[in-house]
Short mmCIF file of all heavy atoms in Angstrom, two decimals:
data_model
loop_
_atom_site.label_atom_id
_atom_site.label_comp_id
_atom_site.label_asym_id
_atom_site.label_seq_id
_atom_site.Cartn_x
_atom_site.Cartn_y
_atom_site.Cartn_z
N MET A 1 -16.43 -197.75 -11.72
CA MET A 1 -15.84 -197.80 -10.35
C MET A 1 -15.34 -199.24 -9.98
O MET A 1 -15.95 -200.21 -10.22
CB MET A 1 -16.96 -197.38 -9.44
CG MET A 1 -16.44 -197.35 -7.89
SD MET A 1 -17.86 -196.92 -6.79
CE MET A 1 -18.17 -195.20 -7.28
N ALA A 2 -14.10 -199.31 -9.45
CA ALA A 2 -13.63 -200.53 -9.10
C ALA A 2 -14.20 -201.04 -7.81
O ALA A 2 -14.79 -200.22 -7.00
CB ALA A 2 -12.14 -200.49 -8.93
N SER A 3 -14.12 -202.23 -7.59
CA SER A 3 -14.54 -202.83 -6.23
C SER A 3 -13.73 -203.94 -5.88
O SER A 3 -13.12 -204.62 -6.71
CB SER A 3 -16.02 -203.17 -6.33
OG SER A 3 -16.19 -204.29 -7.20
N LEU A 4 -13.66 -204.27 -4.68
CA LEU A 4 -12.84 -205.44 -4.12
C LEU A 4 -13.90 -206.24 -3.27
O LEU A 4 -14.78 -205.75 -2.74
CB LEU A 4 -11.67 -204.96 -3.27
CG LEU A 4 -10.54 -204.24 -4.04
CD1 LEU A 4 -9.60 -203.58 -3.08
CD2 LEU A 4 -9.93 -205.15 -4.93
N SER A 5 -13.44 -207.50 -3.10
CA SER A 5 -14.26 -208.35 -2.20
C SER A 5 -13.80 -208.27 -0.80
O SER A 5 -12.60 -208.44 -0.59
CB SER A 5 -14.27 -209.81 -2.74
OG SER A 5 -14.93 -209.84 -3.96
N CYS A 6 -14.55 -208.22 0.17
CA CYS A 6 -14.16 -208.22 1.59
C CYS A 6 -13.54 -209.61 1.91
O CYS A 6 -14.25 -210.58 1.70
CB CYS A 6 -15.39 -207.90 2.46
SG CYS A 6 -14.99 -208.05 4.19
N PRO A 7 -12.33 -209.54 2.49
CA PRO A 7 -11.66 -210.78 2.92
C PRO A 7 -12.57 -211.50 3.95
O PRO A 7 -12.38 -212.72 4.20
CB PRO A 7 -10.41 -210.36 3.42
CG PRO A 7 -10.05 -209.04 2.75
CD PRO A 7 -11.46 -208.46 2.66
N GLU A 8 -13.21 -210.80 4.68
CA GLU A 8 -13.92 -211.35 5.84
C GLU A 8 -15.29 -212.07 5.38
O GLU A 8 -15.57 -213.19 5.87
CB GLU A 8 -14.21 -210.33 6.89
CG GLU A 8 -13.05 -209.89 7.74
CD GLU A 8 -12.48 -211.06 8.64
OE1 GLU A 8 -13.32 -211.79 9.16
OE2 GLU A 8 -11.31 -211.15 8.80
N CYS A 9 -16.15 -211.41 4.64
CA CYS A 9 -17.39 -211.79 4.42
C CYS A 9 -17.72 -211.89 2.86
O CYS A 9 -18.77 -212.31 2.48
CB CYS A 9 -18.38 -210.95 5.12
SG CYS A 9 -18.57 -209.31 4.41
N ASP A 10 -16.67 -211.53 2.04
CA ASP A 10 -16.88 -211.62 0.60
C ASP A 10 -17.91 -210.64 0.07
O ASP A 10 -18.28 -210.84 -1.16
CB ASP A 10 -17.26 -213.03 0.19
CG ASP A 10 -16.69 -213.32 -1.23
OD1 ASP A 10 -15.53 -212.89 -1.52
OD2 ASP A 10 -17.36 -214.22 -1.87
N ALA A 11 -18.31 -209.73 0.80
CA ALA A 11 -19.09 -208.61 0.26
C ALA A 11 -18.31 -207.71 -0.70
O ALA A 11 -17.13 -207.63 -0.50
CB ALA A 11 -19.85 -207.85 1.37
N GLY A 12 -19.10 -207.07 -1.63
CA GLY A 12 -18.36 -206.15 -2.52
C GLY A 12 -18.15 -204.86 -1.85
O GLY A 12 -19.09 -204.25 -1.17
N ILE A 13 -16.85 -204.31 -1.87
CA ILE A 13 -16.59 -203.01 -1.29
C ILE A 13 -16.27 -202.11 -2.57
O ILE A 13 -15.23 -202.32 -3.19
CB ILE A 13 -15.37 -203.04 -0.35
CG1 ILE A 13 -15.64 -204.02 0.79
CG2 ILE A 13 -15.09 -201.66 0.12
CD1 ILE A 13 -14.50 -204.27 1.69
N ALA A 14 -17.06 -201.10 -2.75
CA ALA A 14 -16.85 -200.16 -3.88
C ALA A 14 -15.71 -199.23 -3.61
O ALA A 14 -15.60 -198.74 -2.40
CB ALA A 14 -18.07 -199.36 -4.13
N LEU A 15 -14.89 -198.97 -4.54
CA LEU A 15 -13.73 -198.00 -4.44
C LEU A 15 -14.00 -196.76 -5.18
O LEU A 15 -14.18 -196.94 -6.43
CB LEU A 15 -12.45 -198.74 -4.88
CG LEU A 15 -12.04 -199.97 -4.03
CD1 LEU A 15 -10.70 -200.51 -4.65
CD2 LEU A 15 -11.87 -199.62 -2.66
N PRO A 16 -14.05 -195.65 -4.60
CA PRO A 16 -14.15 -194.47 -5.44
C PRO A 16 -12.99 -194.31 -6.40
O PRO A 16 -11.92 -194.80 -6.16
CB PRO A 16 -14.03 -193.24 -4.31
CG PRO A 16 -14.35 -193.96 -3.06
CD PRO A 16 -13.90 -195.40 -3.19
N SER A 17 -13.31 -193.67 -7.56
CA SER A 17 -12.29 -193.62 -8.49
C SER A 17 -10.96 -192.85 -8.16
O SER A 17 -9.90 -192.99 -8.74
CB SER A 17 -12.83 -192.89 -9.84
OG SER A 17 -13.37 -191.70 -9.61
N ASP A 18 -11.20 -192.00 -7.06
CA ASP A 18 -10.05 -191.17 -6.71
C ASP A 18 -9.34 -191.82 -5.42
O ASP A 18 -8.67 -191.12 -4.60
CB ASP A 18 -10.41 -189.75 -6.32
CG ASP A 18 -11.53 -189.58 -5.28
OD1 ASP A 18 -12.07 -190.70 -4.84
OD2 ASP A 18 -11.80 -188.54 -4.73
N SER A 19 -9.56 -193.12 -5.23
CA SER A 19 -8.98 -193.77 -4.13
C SER A 19 -7.51 -193.72 -4.10
O SER A 19 -6.91 -193.77 -5.22
CB SER A 19 -9.38 -195.20 -4.10
OG SER A 19 -10.76 -195.39 -3.85
N VAL A 20 -6.90 -193.61 -3.00
CA VAL A 20 -5.43 -193.49 -2.96
C VAL A 20 -4.93 -194.66 -1.89
O VAL A 20 -5.66 -194.93 -1.01
CB VAL A 20 -4.83 -192.17 -2.54
CG1 VAL A 20 -5.27 -191.15 -3.67
CG2 VAL A 20 -5.49 -191.67 -1.26
N GLN A 21 -3.68 -194.96 -2.10
CA GLN A 21 -3.03 -195.85 -1.17
C GLN A 21 -3.03 -195.24 0.26
O GLN A 21 -2.75 -194.00 0.49
CB GLN A 21 -1.59 -196.14 -1.51
CG GLN A 21 -0.89 -196.99 -0.44
CD GLN A 21 0.35 -197.61 -1.06
OE1 GLN A 21 0.35 -198.64 -1.75
NE2 GLN A 21 1.48 -196.97 -0.81
N GLY A 22 -3.48 -196.05 1.17
CA GLY A 22 -3.44 -195.66 2.59
C GLY A 22 -4.81 -195.22 3.05
O GLY A 22 -5.06 -194.99 4.25
N GLU A 23 -5.81 -195.10 2.10
CA GLU A 23 -7.14 -194.72 2.45
C GLU A 23 -7.82 -195.88 3.18
O GLU A 23 -7.58 -196.98 2.93
CB GLU A 23 -7.90 -194.37 1.12
CG GLU A 23 -9.28 -193.80 1.41
CD GLU A 23 -9.84 -193.26 0.05
OE1 GLU A 23 -9.09 -192.88 -0.89
OE2 GLU A 23 -11.07 -193.22 -0.09
N ILE A 24 -8.65 -195.44 4.11
CA ILE A 24 -9.35 -196.48 4.86
C ILE A 24 -10.78 -196.65 4.31
O ILE A 24 -11.46 -195.61 4.14
CB ILE A 24 -9.44 -196.05 6.38
CG1 ILE A 24 -8.04 -195.79 6.97
CG2 ILE A 24 -10.25 -197.06 7.23
CD1 ILE A 24 -7.24 -197.14 7.03
N VAL A 25 -11.11 -197.78 4.06
CA VAL A 25 -12.41 -198.13 3.53
C VAL A 25 -13.03 -199.16 4.54
O VAL A 25 -12.41 -199.96 5.08
CB VAL A 25 -12.44 -198.71 2.07
CG1 VAL A 25 -11.84 -197.74 1.16
CG2 VAL A 25 -11.58 -199.99 1.95
N ALA A 26 -14.29 -199.13 4.59
CA ALA A 26 -14.94 -200.08 5.59
C ALA A 26 -15.98 -200.97 4.73
O ALA A 26 -16.69 -200.46 3.74
CB ALA A 26 -15.79 -199.23 6.57
N CYS A 27 -16.08 -202.20 5.08
CA CYS A 27 -17.06 -203.05 4.44
C CYS A 27 -18.39 -202.69 4.84
O CYS A 27 -18.68 -202.51 6.01
CB CYS A 27 -16.76 -204.52 4.88
SG CYS A 27 -17.87 -205.71 4.22
N PRO A 28 -19.31 -202.44 3.88
CA PRO A 28 -20.68 -202.11 4.20
C PRO A 28 -21.44 -203.26 4.83
O PRO A 28 -22.55 -202.94 5.35
CB PRO A 28 -21.28 -201.73 2.78
CG PRO A 28 -20.49 -202.62 1.83
CD PRO A 28 -19.12 -202.65 2.38
N ASP A 29 -20.91 -204.46 4.83
CA ASP A 29 -21.67 -205.59 5.24
C ASP A 29 -21.22 -205.86 6.69
O ASP A 29 -21.99 -205.85 7.63
CB ASP A 29 -21.54 -206.77 4.37
CG ASP A 29 -22.64 -207.84 4.47
OD1 ASP A 29 -23.33 -207.74 5.56
OD2 ASP A 29 -22.75 -208.62 3.65
N CYS A 30 -19.99 -206.23 6.86
CA CYS A 30 -19.49 -206.55 8.25
C CYS A 30 -18.90 -205.45 9.03
O CYS A 30 -18.61 -205.56 10.21
CB CYS A 30 -18.57 -207.82 8.12
SG CYS A 30 -16.93 -207.36 7.40
N GLY A 31 -18.57 -204.33 8.32
CA GLY A 31 -18.14 -203.20 9.02
C GLY A 31 -16.64 -203.24 9.39
O GLY A 31 -16.07 -202.31 9.98
N GLN A 32 -15.84 -204.23 8.86
CA GLN A 32 -14.43 -204.28 9.01
C GLN A 32 -13.74 -203.18 8.20
O GLN A 32 -14.07 -202.89 7.09
CB GLN A 32 -13.85 -205.68 8.58
CG GLN A 32 -12.40 -205.79 8.61
CD GLN A 32 -11.84 -205.78 9.97
OE1 GLN A 32 -12.29 -206.46 10.92
NE2 GLN A 32 -10.80 -204.94 10.30
N SER A 33 -12.76 -202.50 8.91
CA SER A 33 -12.10 -201.47 8.18
C SER A 33 -10.81 -202.03 7.51
O SER A 33 -10.12 -202.88 8.06
CB SER A 33 -11.69 -200.38 9.16
OG SER A 33 -12.88 -199.65 9.65
N TYR A 34 -10.53 -201.51 6.41
CA TYR A 34 -9.30 -201.94 5.61
C TYR A 34 -8.63 -200.67 5.09
O TYR A 34 -9.08 -199.68 4.85
CB TYR A 34 -9.66 -202.83 4.46
CG TYR A 34 -10.32 -204.15 4.81
CD1 TYR A 34 -11.73 -204.19 4.79
CD2 TYR A 34 -9.63 -205.21 5.33
CE1 TYR A 34 -12.44 -205.31 5.17
CE2 TYR A 34 -10.28 -206.40 5.66
CZ TYR A 34 -11.58 -206.36 5.57
OH TYR A 34 -12.28 -207.63 6.06
N GLU A 35 -7.25 -200.89 5.03
CA GLU A 35 -6.42 -199.87 4.42
C GLU A 35 -6.10 -200.31 2.98
O GLU A 35 -5.74 -201.42 2.73
CB GLU A 35 -5.13 -199.71 5.23
CG GLU A 35 -4.21 -198.66 4.61
CD GLU A 35 -2.91 -198.53 5.51
OE1 GLU A 35 -3.04 -198.90 6.65
OE2 GLU A 35 -1.97 -198.07 4.93
N LEU A 36 -6.15 -199.36 2.07
CA LEU A 36 -5.92 -199.69 0.62
C LEU A 36 -4.38 -199.74 0.50
O LEU A 36 -3.71 -198.84 0.83
CB LEU A 36 -6.50 -198.64 -0.25
CG LEU A 36 -7.95 -198.68 -0.45
CD1 LEU A 36 -8.34 -197.50 -1.39
CD2 LEU A 36 -8.45 -199.99 -1.13
N ARG A 37 -3.99 -200.76 -0.15
CA ARG A 37 -2.63 -200.89 -0.59
C ARG A 37 -2.44 -200.97 -2.16
O ARG A 37 -3.23 -201.88 -2.60
CB ARG A 37 -1.84 -202.15 0.13
CG ARG A 37 -1.82 -202.07 1.54
CD ARG A 37 -0.78 -200.96 2.04
NE ARG A 37 -0.73 -200.83 3.55
CZ ARG A 37 0.02 -201.51 4.28
NH1 ARG A 37 0.76 -202.50 3.74
NH2 ARG A 37 0.08 -201.34 5.49
N GLU A 38 -1.66 -200.32 -2.77
CA GLU A 38 -1.55 -200.44 -4.18
C GLU A 38 -0.30 -201.22 -4.64
O GLU A 38 0.74 -201.17 -4.03
CB GLU A 38 -1.40 -199.06 -4.80
CG GLU A 38 -1.53 -199.06 -6.29
CD GLU A 38 -1.62 -197.66 -6.84
OE1 GLU A 38 -1.34 -196.67 -6.07
OE2 GLU A 38 -1.94 -197.49 -8.07
N SER A 39 -0.57 -202.25 -5.49
CA SER A 39 0.50 -203.10 -5.86
C SER A 39 0.30 -203.29 -7.38
O SER A 39 -0.74 -203.84 -7.84
CB SER A 39 0.36 -204.35 -5.13
OG SER A 39 1.41 -205.32 -5.59
N ASP A 40 1.36 -202.92 -8.17
CA ASP A 40 1.34 -203.01 -9.59
C ASP A 40 0.05 -202.47 -10.19
O ASP A 40 -0.61 -203.02 -11.06
CB ASP A 40 1.38 -204.53 -10.01
CG ASP A 40 2.84 -205.06 -9.71
OD1 ASP A 40 3.75 -204.28 -9.70
OD2 ASP A 40 2.89 -206.24 -9.43
N GLY A 41 -0.37 -201.28 -9.77
CA GLY A 41 -1.56 -200.62 -10.24
C GLY A 41 -2.81 -201.17 -9.84
O GLY A 41 -3.98 -200.68 -10.27
N ALA A 42 -2.89 -202.17 -8.95
CA ALA A 42 -4.09 -202.76 -8.52
C ALA A 42 -4.22 -202.61 -6.99
O ALA A 42 -3.11 -202.70 -6.31
CB ALA A 42 -4.24 -204.24 -8.94
N PHE A 43 -5.43 -202.29 -6.46
CA PHE A 43 -5.53 -202.17 -4.96
C PHE A 43 -5.73 -203.51 -4.30
O PHE A 43 -6.43 -204.23 -4.83
CB PHE A 43 -6.65 -201.29 -4.73
CG PHE A 43 -6.32 -199.81 -4.86
CD1 PHE A 43 -7.11 -199.06 -5.87
CD2 PHE A 43 -5.36 -199.12 -4.13
CE1 PHE A 43 -6.71 -197.68 -6.00
CE2 PHE A 43 -5.00 -197.78 -4.36
CZ PHE A 43 -5.72 -197.04 -5.33
N THR A 44 -5.25 -203.61 -3.17
CA THR A 44 -5.55 -204.81 -2.30
C THR A 44 -5.97 -204.24 -0.99
O THR A 44 -5.75 -203.07 -0.67
CB THR A 44 -4.36 -205.71 -2.12
OG1 THR A 44 -3.26 -205.01 -1.52
CG2 THR A 44 -3.89 -206.30 -3.45
N LEU A 45 -6.59 -205.05 -0.19
CA LEU A 45 -7.12 -204.63 1.07
C LEU A 45 -6.27 -205.25 2.19
O LEU A 45 -6.02 -206.40 2.31
CB LEU A 45 -8.59 -205.08 1.37
CG LEU A 45 -9.64 -204.55 0.36
CD1 LEU A 45 -10.91 -205.22 0.69
CD2 LEU A 45 -9.71 -202.94 0.65
N GLN A 46 -5.88 -204.35 3.15
CA GLN A 46 -5.15 -204.87 4.37
C GLN A 46 -5.91 -204.38 5.57
O GLN A 46 -6.30 -203.25 5.56
CB GLN A 46 -3.82 -204.14 4.26
CG GLN A 46 -2.98 -204.19 5.54
CD GLN A 46 -1.70 -204.98 5.46
OE1 GLN A 46 -1.50 -205.53 4.41
NE2 GLN A 46 -1.07 -205.11 6.49
N ALA A 47 -6.14 -205.34 6.46
CA ALA A 47 -6.94 -205.01 7.74
C ALA A 47 -6.30 -203.85 8.32
O ALA A 47 -5.06 -203.70 8.54
CB ALA A 47 -6.91 -206.22 8.61
N ALA A 48 -7.10 -202.81 8.60
CA ALA A 48 -6.59 -201.56 9.14
C ALA A 48 -6.13 -201.76 10.55
O ALA A 48 -6.81 -202.50 11.32
CB ALA A 48 -7.71 -200.51 9.11
N GLU A 49 -5.00 -201.11 10.87
CA GLU A 49 -4.52 -201.09 12.19
C GLU A 49 -5.25 -200.09 13.03
O GLU A 49 -5.11 -198.95 12.84
CB GLU A 49 -3.00 -200.75 12.25
CG GLU A 49 -2.14 -201.74 11.53
CD GLU A 49 -2.06 -203.12 12.33
OE1 GLU A 49 -2.31 -203.12 13.46
OE2 GLU A 49 -1.64 -204.16 11.72
N THR A 50 -6.04 -200.59 13.98
CA THR A 50 -6.88 -199.61 14.80
C THR A 50 -6.47 -199.62 16.25
O THR A 50 -7.14 -199.13 17.03
CB THR A 50 -8.43 -199.98 14.63
OG1 THR A 50 -8.54 -201.37 15.06
CG2 THR A 50 -8.90 -199.88 13.26
N VAL A 51 -5.30 -200.22 16.51
CA VAL A 51 -4.79 -200.31 17.87
C VAL A 51 -4.56 -198.79 18.34
O VAL A 51 -3.89 -198.01 17.71
CB VAL A 51 -3.51 -201.07 18.07
CG1 VAL A 51 -3.03 -201.01 19.42
CG2 VAL A 51 -3.73 -202.48 17.57
N GLY A 52 -5.23 -198.47 19.53
CA GLY A 52 -4.99 -197.15 19.98
C GLY A 52 -5.87 -196.08 19.29
O GLY A 52 -5.82 -194.92 19.58
N GLU A 53 -6.64 -196.45 18.34
CA GLU A 53 -7.48 -195.56 17.64
C GLU A 53 -8.98 -195.89 17.91
O GLU A 53 -9.30 -197.02 17.91
CB GLU A 53 -7.23 -195.56 16.15
CG GLU A 53 -5.90 -195.04 15.76
CD GLU A 53 -5.81 -193.58 15.74
OE1 GLU A 53 -6.95 -192.89 15.75
OE2 GLU A 53 -4.78 -192.97 15.45
N ASP A 54 -9.76 -194.88 17.98
CA ASP A 54 -11.18 -195.01 18.03
C ASP A 54 -11.76 -194.24 16.97
O ASP A 54 -11.72 -193.08 16.88
CB ASP A 54 -11.70 -194.52 19.43
CG ASP A 54 -13.25 -194.79 19.59
OD1 ASP A 54 -13.93 -195.30 18.69
OD2 ASP A 54 -13.70 -194.44 20.63
N TRP A 55 -12.40 -195.04 16.03
CA TRP A 55 -12.91 -194.49 14.83
C TRP A 55 -14.36 -193.97 15.02
O TRP A 55 -14.96 -193.48 14.01
CB TRP A 55 -12.86 -195.40 13.65
CG TRP A 55 -11.41 -195.70 13.19
CD1 TRP A 55 -10.66 -196.63 13.83
CD2 TRP A 55 -10.59 -194.87 12.24
NE1 TRP A 55 -9.36 -196.54 13.11
CE2 TRP A 55 -9.39 -195.47 12.33
CE3 TRP A 55 -10.90 -193.76 11.51
CZ2 TRP A 55 -8.37 -194.99 11.53
CZ3 TRP A 55 -9.85 -193.28 10.68
CH2 TRP A 55 -8.61 -193.85 10.68
N GLY A 56 -14.89 -194.00 16.18
CA GLY A 56 -16.11 -193.40 16.62
C GLY A 56 -17.34 -194.10 15.80
O GLY A 56 -18.05 -193.51 15.12
N GLU A 57 -17.51 -195.35 16.06
CA GLU A 57 -18.60 -196.05 15.46
C GLU A 57 -19.91 -195.53 15.87
O GLU A 57 -20.07 -195.37 17.12
CB GLU A 57 -18.50 -197.56 15.69
CG GLU A 57 -17.43 -198.20 14.89
CD GLU A 57 -17.39 -199.75 15.03
OE1 GLU A 57 -18.39 -200.34 14.43
OE2 GLU A 57 -16.60 -200.30 15.74
ZN1 ZN B 101 -17.09 -207.67 5.04
#
């Protein structure tokens, strides 16, 4: 399973093997939400746009 480091707190965020671009993942440590972006076969994290959305914490 791949994982990425949270840009905010550097905690590890595990990525399911079936992750797809556009999927929203949340940091287990600081709770920040990110959208997965795929670039050259590797995923990067982009801070999720939550304007006007309530994800129901
Ligand atoms: Zn974090």
Side-chain angles (χ1 to χ4, degrees):
M1 183 183 293
S3 67
L4 293 171
S5 294
C6 176
E8 286 293 325
C9 71
D10 210 34
I13 302 176
L15 299 181
S17 58
D18 61 349
S19 294
V20 294
Q21 175 162 277
E23 189 166 333
I24 301 297
V25 297
C27 174
D29 202 346
C30 70
Q32 175 67 50
S33 294
Y34 297 99
E35 180 179 338
L36 287 178
R37 295 292 178 86
E38 191 172 10
S39 176
D40 294 330
F43 284 117
T44 58
L45 295 173
Q46 166 114 0
E49 296 288 343
T50 56
V51 178
E53 291 278 353
D54 184 354
W55 293 90
E57 287 186 75

